[in-house]
Amino acid sequence: MKMLKLSNRIDANRKKTSFASILNNPFSLNKNCAILSFFLLPPSTLLTYFLTVSATQGLQLSAFTTKTPRVTKFTTKGPSASSMNHEATTSIYRFNATNGITCILMQVDGLIGIKYRNKLGEDVEADLYMPDTPQLSGECVESNMEILTMDFRGFRLSMTFKKSSGGEGWYINLFELTYSSSNSLFEHPDRPGLNVKLTSPVHQPMFFPTPVGKSYVCDKEKTVIMYAPQDSGDQSGHIARLYLRDLHMQSFMFKESGKWGPSFHCSATGSYRDETAPLAVGTALAIAVLLTISGYGGWRYFKIKKVQYGSME
């Protein structure tokens, strides 16, 4: 008799309970008959419930699955990175001379990391991507020097290109970054309103040397550190690191086609020696040898002449 009353109560409660509430909480009935009420549901309702739960669990589990990471400027690329489409992650910068012909062309995946000091006296770092469409300016007037300047988000990055003394090679002579310490990129700087100017070291005046007519290509990540000049005063610990990845650039182009010249790949060490020092040393050595030979010849001439004169007497 008790079981019959219990069954009738379950049927009454089941009619009053909506299908949605059952799916949301099948145990929302009286605690004493929750399990029994669940298994007394119609087969179609049970099947729908289990399918819904399975789908929901599948969606929840998929949120924790490991996806293929997107290659970003912070991602260390693996050995298979050379087979990827670098154009999808790099930006192209083209600067034309007044006659409309391209003189500087650069393609790179660039990031600027700036270290500064906050009001707590802590050295913190802020990161800034090189954008796809900065405001470009520069100079391509002189035959031995070119300048490319990028303005973006209150920052100005300038690169000075020069030719070697012999004219057969080009390189970047100077990197310069200027900005205000009040830029929104910096949080709580210790000295807001400071005009900061950072430059590459003067003791390393040659970056990415390349023969004229060829384009510099390097798949390795190159880093250029920029400091405040010694005579610039207190720059509040500002130091910038320019990270250049998948670098491809060329200056002194002056080709109507505006296309890359033959590739000149970076070496394993990245070292390069200007021909100015060897030429000066070689010239000095040649002059010294010439003076030595001339002096010895003159000494021998006068000595032999003196001996011959004494023999005649």
Side-chain angles (χ1 to χ4, degrees):
M1 188 67 178
K2 291 182 179 180
M3 290 297 298
L4 181 58
K5 291 181 179 180
L6 178 62
S7 177
N8 293 335
R9 187 189 308 171
I10 293 173
D11 291 339
N13 289 336
R14 185 172 58 188
K15 292 179 181 179
K16 295 179 181 179
T17 305
S18 64
F19 177 71
S21 63
I22 294 176
L23 289 181
N24 293 332
N25 189 5
F27 304 104
S28 61
L29 302 178
N30 191 287
K31 294 182 179 179
N32 296 327
C33 57
I35 299 176
L36 184 59
S37 66
F38 179 77
F39 287 102
L40 290 178
L41 290 173
S44 59
T45 305
L46 291 174
L47 179 61
T48 305
Y49 172 78
F50 284 116
L51 291 176
T52 305
V53 171
S54 300
T56 305
Q57 290 180 347
L59 292 175
Q60 292 176 348
L61 291 175
S62 64
F64 295 96
T65 55
T66 304
K67 298 180 180 180
T68 304
R70 176 179 173 268
V71 177
T72 65
K73 297 173 176 61
F74 295 99
T75 304
T76 303
K77 297 183 179 180
S80 60
S82 59
S83 61
M84 299 179 61
N85 182 14
H86 291 176
E87 294 184 356
T89 59
T90 57
S91 303
I92 298 180
Y93 311 107
R94 182 187 299 272
F95 182 69
N96 298 331
T98 54
N99 57 4
I101 299 177
T102 301
C103 58
I104 301 176
L105 184 60
M106 175 182 292
Q107 181 176 358
V108 68
D109 179 11
L111 172 71
I112 304 175
I114 304 176
K115 183 179 179 181
Y116 67 99
R117 190 167 299 130
N118 60 20
K119 292 183 178 180
L120 298 177
E122 300 173 339
D123 291 332
V124 293
E125 187 170 345
D127 296 313
L128 177 68
Y129 292 106
M130 291 180 61
D132 293 331
T133 57
Q135 183 179 352
L136 296 180
S137 60
E139 298 179 10
C140 289
V141 179
E142 298 185 23
S143 59
N144 294 324
M145 185 180 71
E146 295 179 348
I147 299 175
L148 176 63
T149 302
M150 302 181 186
D151 290 284
F152 53 97
R153 293 186 57 184
F155 293 83
R156 169 168 288 189
L157 177 63
S158 179
M159 291 165 277
T160 302
F161 299 81
K162 285 189 176 182
K163 282 185 180 180
S164 57
S165 58
E168 66 275 5
W170 64 266
Y171 57 93
I172 295 182
N173 177 66
L174 179 68
F175 287 89
E176 183 177 290
L177 180 66
T178 57
Y179 56 89
S180 172
S181 61
S182 295
N183 192 286
S184 59
L185 181 69
F186 309 113
E187 297 181 356
H188 310 295
D190 66 337
R191 289 188 61 190
L194 183 67
N195 294 323
V196 182
K197 177 182 178 182
L198 308 178
T199 59
S200 55
V202 294
H203 64 268
Q204 188 180 356
M206 301 187 69
F207 296 90
F208 318 126
T210 308
V212 172
K214 293 187 177 182
S215 59
Y216 181 88
V217 179
C218 194
D219 294 332
K220 305 179 184 66
E221 184 177 86
K222 295 294 184 178
T223 304
V224 179
I225 304 178
M226 289 173 278
Y227 306 91
Q230 295 181 354
D231 58 348
S232 61
D234 182 19
Q235 298 289 341
S236 298
H238 285 252
I239 300 175
R241 285 177 171 83
L242 175 61
Y243 301 95
L244 302 173
R245 179 179 292 170
D246 296 332
L247 179 61
H248 191 184
M249 67 178 176
Q250 184 175 356
S251 62
F252 301 101
M253 297 180 65
F254 297 106
K255 292 182 179 180
E256 294 184 0
S257 61
K259 296 182 179 180
W260 300 106
S263 299
F264 180 80
H265 292 270
C266 58
S267 61
T269 59
S271 59
Y272 181 82
R273 184 179 63 182
D274 189 5
E275 68 278 1
T276 303
L279 181 62
V281 173
T283 303
L285 182 61
I287 294 175
V289 171
L290 181 61
L291 292 176
T292 301
I293 295 176
S294 300
Y296 179 76
W299 177 79
R300 288 281 299 174
Y301 173 78
F302 287 108
K303 184 177 180 180
I304 294 175
K305 184 176 181 181
K306 182 177 181 180
V307 171
Q308 291 177 349
Y309 179 77
S311 300
M312 290 176 63
E313 291 181 349

